[in-house]
Amino acid sequence: MFEMSRNVTVLHKTWVDDFYKAKLKVRKNTLNGKTLGLIGCGNIGSRVAKRALALEMNVLAYDPYKPAKDFPDGVEVVRDIDRIFNESDYVSLHAPSTSVTKGMITMDRLKQMKDTAFLINTARGALVDEDALYEACRDGIIAGAGIDALKQEPVDPKNPLLTLDNVIMYPHIGGNTTEAAHRASYFAAMGVNECYEGKNPTWPIPQIDYETAPTYDDVKKPNTKPAGMFDF
């Protein structure tokens, strides 16, 4: 979100040759007062929500498999996924690739978004129709995208998304910091030891049949007024 809000790809290509164009004429946006829409609000989505709230953003979250009481405080829980696409300035995906979610980001969904809004996929490449996303970013249907997960990894050098200035792409590195690698190793070893000792593992991966899993329709709204651009 930080990079897209500052249009960094265009800035990198512009500012050395035309400093004042980069400074004054390249689009930039402020995050506070904007709306982040989360699709999926498990461990990662919930942590994103807390950070966005700290940036004085409004956060909508859609996750039909989670009761409203378990969402972070300050998040508005919505059960109508259309609201995520219609109202958000940033739509961020935090869902696994399942028979329910595979290919869920279609051209019809992208057309529901504001033409000033961005799509972020740091989850799984299979969630997004990449041809539709390319057309939507190329034609200004949405403002752009931030992509850390692709259908084909390593990336195909001919992937047309690589040609667009309003698309930021990374090689699936969301969890590839030095600290995250140390944590993953530690918790994996901890889990093996817990199982060896007959304990329930601290970090289990639930086996869920999303076709038949129970869903919830209860909602929750924040007790505070929505964040605004002029709140200080």
Side-chain angles (χ1 to χ4, degrees), residues 3 48 64 86 181 192 199 231:
E3 292 188 269
V48 173
N86 294 336
V192 170
K199 300 176 181 177
D231 293 341

Side-chain angles (χ1 to χ4, degrees), residues 95-200:
S97 175
T98 71
S99 58
V100 176
T101 61
K102 189 174 181 179
M104 69 183 301
I105 305 301
T106 62
M107 179 58 81
D108 287 341
R109 286 295 189 197
L110 294 167
K111 285 181 176 179
Q112 287 183 261
M113 294 171 63
K114 306 173 186 179
D115 60 8
T116 55
F118 297 86
L119 179 77
I120 304 171
N121 183 16
T122 58
R124 294 292 181 264
L127 305 185
V128 178
D129 179 338
E130 291 180 4
D131 292 333
L133 180 62
Y134 169 73
E135 292 180 23
C137 292
R138 180 196 64 190
D139 298 343
I141 294 171
I142 64 174
I147 305 296
D148 190 44
L150 293 163
K151 284 184 177 179
Q152 179 180 332
E153 296 176 359
V155 64
D156 181 350
K158 296 180 181 179
N159 188 321
L161 288 167
L162 292 167
T163 67
L164 299 178
D165 285 343
N166 59 345
V167 176
I168 296 169
M169 297 173 70
Y170 288 124
H172 214 147
I173 59 169
N176 281 25
T177 64
T178 300
E179 294 83 359
H182 288 171
R183 265 197 301 246
S185 299
Y186 177 83
F187 287 135
M190 185 175 76
V192 170
N193 189 64
E194 287 171 332
C195 290
Y196 180 76
E197 294 179 351
K199 300 176 181 177
N200 291 325

Side-chain angles (χ1 to χ4, degrees), residues 19-30:
F19 181 86
Y20 287 103
K21 177 182 178 181
K23 184 174 177 64
L24 302 174
K25 296 184 179 181
V26 172
R27 174 200 52 79
K28 306 169 196 69
N29 298 106
T30 297

Side-chain angles (χ1 to χ4, degrees), residues 16-71:
V16 173
D17 294 326
D18 196 333
F19 181 86
Y20 287 103
K21 177 182 178 181
K23 184 174 177 64
L24 302 174
K25 296 184 179 181
V26 172
R27 174 200 52 79
K28 306 169 196 69
N29 298 106
T30 297
L31 290 180
N32 88 289
K34 299 295 194 301
T35 297
L36 170 64
L38 302 173
I39 298 178
C41 197
N43 186 27
I44 296 174
S46 294
R47 291 169 185 264
V48 173
K50 292 175 183 178
R51 287 156 175 76
L53 291 168
L55 294 170
E56 298 172 333
M57 300 182 76
N58 301 300
V59 181
L60 306 178
Y62 173 85
D63 191 328
Y65 305 105
K66 185 172 184 174
K69 65 181 179 63
D70 292 342
F71 285 73

